[in-house]
Every structure is written in structure tokens, then in C-alpha cells.
Amino acid sequence: MIIDWLKDFSPVTQALFATLFTWGVTALGASLVFFFKNINKKVLNAMLGFAAGVMIAASFWSLLSPAIEMAEQSGTPSWIPAAVGFLLGGAFLWSVDKVLPHLHLNQPVEEAEGIKTSWQRSILLVLAITLHNIPEGLAVGVAFGAVAADLPSASLAGAIALAIGIGIQNFPEGAAVSIPLRREGFSRFKSFIYGQASGIVEPIAGVIGAFAVMSMQSILPYALSFAAGAMIYVVIEELIPESQQGSKTDISTVGAMIGFVIMMVLDVALG
């Protein structure tokens, strides 16, 4: 059983293994470029909606809810860490969004956000998905770091459930990078390399998150809420708008509903 196997490692190592898994699923999604040159717009919208649903559910069930419970157990008014951490997480992603050059799907290069640069469109597309993956890796790392606090609201099974959920929604994100690059004329191999590279930040963010909360356990409720705020910022700022482009966007909503339910079931059943 994977839980028994992971128990032999420190939370930081556990976070590293978990985020290597989520990165691997990103690469698996990017590998679709070896089989397809184009992706149906409705399918892409459904996949992006699914990713949004997973992230929304994970933000509450895996991050905010445990943060509130931990604050209650410490005697702190439960809403303070949740509200402060959540807003700080959103502010952090807002700041990165304004600085890091990136380009959303289906947008002309002239509409790239962040600091103006002459970087190629391909790099800007990869950086947009990389921006998604910062809070995802951080969330997984913080969840595993929380297990070291030995609190009832933080369990190894729950952290694993979060990693599985993030991994599932990384699959369409990998494809959402590699296939458009192939359509723009890149080779299949180069498109794959760029697509999987968007997930490399997750192990880095995961290790940092786990180490930070283990070193300063008093910030744990804030750290969990911070990761939740960063994820919700990505959902509202990027995933939902991108999934609603084109006609018949109801499929995006259905995808989001399914993603939410799957992540909720994972967290409740395993956590």
C-alpha cells in the first residue's frame, strides 16, 4: 500500500515524490501530441473546465477546511488564518501574473501579459501553464508538511488524495500546451518537451512548501489558506475564462462539475 510505503520517508521527501507524480502526469498529457496534431475546441474546454473544478474542490476540502480546523484547535479565531492566508495567496499570484511574461491560449502574442519581452510565443504559452502549476505544487507540499504537525485534520491519506487530484487535472494541462504548439509548426518531440516542462515547477514548489510549514508550524493554517487563495486566483483569472471561449460552453461547466465531484470524493473517501 502506497500509504505504508510513504510513511518511511520525511514529509519533504513525501512531497517530492508526490509532485514528481503530478509532473509525470503533466508529461503524460503532453505526450498526446505524438498521436494528435489538433484538439477539438469543445474537448479542450471540457478539459480546462474539469481542471478548474478539481482546483476549486481541492482549495476547500484539502486546504481551507483543514486550515479552519487547525485554527480552532489552536484557540485562534478560525476565520483569521483562512481569510488572511487566502487573500495573501491571491495577492502573490496577482504579483507574479503582473511580472512573469506569459500568454493565454488562443491569444495573439501582442496580448501577452507581464513584463514586455521579445520571447517567442511558445515560451509565453509554456509560462502561462507554469503559472498554474506554482500554487498546485505548493498546495501538495503544504499538505504533506501539515502531516508532520500530527493534527487530526491533516492526514497522509488526505495529502495523497490531493496529489492524485492535482495529477488528474494536470493531464489536460499538459495536452493544452503541447498540442497547440504542434499546430503552430513545432515538431512533436519539441512540443512534448515544452509541454512537460510546464510542470517542472511543481516539485520545486512542493519541496519549498513542505519545508516551510515543517520549519514554522505556527504558520500552517496560513500556508494552507495561502495555497488555496493562489489556486482560486488561477481558476478565476485563467482557467474559467479560457474554458468559456467559443460556442456551446456548457460543456465547460459540465467538466467543472465533474472535476469538483471527483476531487471531493477523493478527499472525503481517502482523507
Side-chain angles (χ1 to χ4, degrees):
M1 187 91 177
I2 188 170
I3 295 178
D4 295 328
W5 178 73
L6 281 175
K7 283 181 179 178
D8 295 331
F9 300 95
S10 72
V12 173
T13 305
Q14 292 169 354
L16 176 60
F17 286 149
T19 47
L20 286 173
F21 161 75
T22 60
W23 179 18
V25 180
T26 301
L28 189 63
S31 71
L32 290 181
V33 75
F34 292 110
F35 307 98
F36 305 99
K37 185 175 182 179
N38 295 291
I39 183 169
N40 183 277
K41 180 58 180 172
K42 289 193 291 186
V43 173
L44 179 60
N45 284 349
M47 292 164 69
L48 292 173
F50 178 87
V54 169
M55 291 178 71
I56 292 170
S59 295
F60 177 74
W61 295 101
S62 299
L63 300 170
L64 279 176
S65 182
I68 291 171
E69 291 182 27
M70 290 174 189
E72 289 175 344
Q73 292 166 3
S74 66
T76 303
S78 58
W79 60 270
I80 292 179
V84 172
F86 187 86
L87 292 175
L88 286 175
F92 170 74
L93 256 291
W94 178 85
S95 301
V96 175
D97 192 59
K98 297 302 179 185
V99 174
L100 182 70
H102 63 285
L103 179 67
H104 299 300
L105 293 174
N106 304 312
Q107 296 294 322
V109 71
E110 293 78 17
E111 295 187 16
E113 300 180 12
I115 295 174
K116 297 304 178 183
T117 176
S118 59
W119 291 349
Q120 293 181 345
R121 175 182 174 85
S122 57
I123 299 297
L124 296 173
L125 284 169
V126 172
L127 288 176
I129 302 298
T130 300
L131 185 62
H132 296 181
N133 291 334
I134 294 174
E136 294 169 11
L138 183 64
V140 173
V142 168
F144 277 95
V147 177
D150 198 26
L151 297 171
S153 52
S155 68
L156 183 57
I160 293 172
L162 176 60
I164 293 172
I166 295 297
I168 291 172
Q169 66 91 39
N170 274 356
F171 184 84
E173 287 191 352
V177 176
S178 63
I179 293 177
L181 290 178
R182 172 61 177 160
R183 190 170 60 244
E184 292 187 12
F186 285 80
S187 68
R188 294 184 188 276
F189 181 73
K190 192 171 183 179
S191 299
F192 167 75
I193 292 298
Y194 277 129
Q196 63 82 32
S198 65
I200 195 172
V201 72
E202 290 198 9
I204 299 171
V207 168
I208 291 173
F211 181 78
V213 298
M214 286 185 64
S215 303
M216 300 173 286
Q217 289 193 5
S218 60
I219 70 167
L220 185 49
Y222 294 91
L224 289 166
S225 303
F226 181 96
M231 289 177 67
I232 292 297
Y233 183 92
V234 168
V235 169
I236 298 173
E237 170 72 9
E238 302 188 23
L239 288 180
I240 290 179
E242 289 173 9
S243 72
Q244 293 292 317
Q245 294 181 6
S247 60
K248 297 182 179 180
T249 55
D250 54 338
I251 193 170
S252 309
T253 306
V254 172
M257 298 288 287
I258 294 173
F260 185 95
V261 169
I262 288 177
M263 185 65 238
M264 178 180 67
V265 169
L266 277 173
D267 193 87
V268 174
L270 297 180

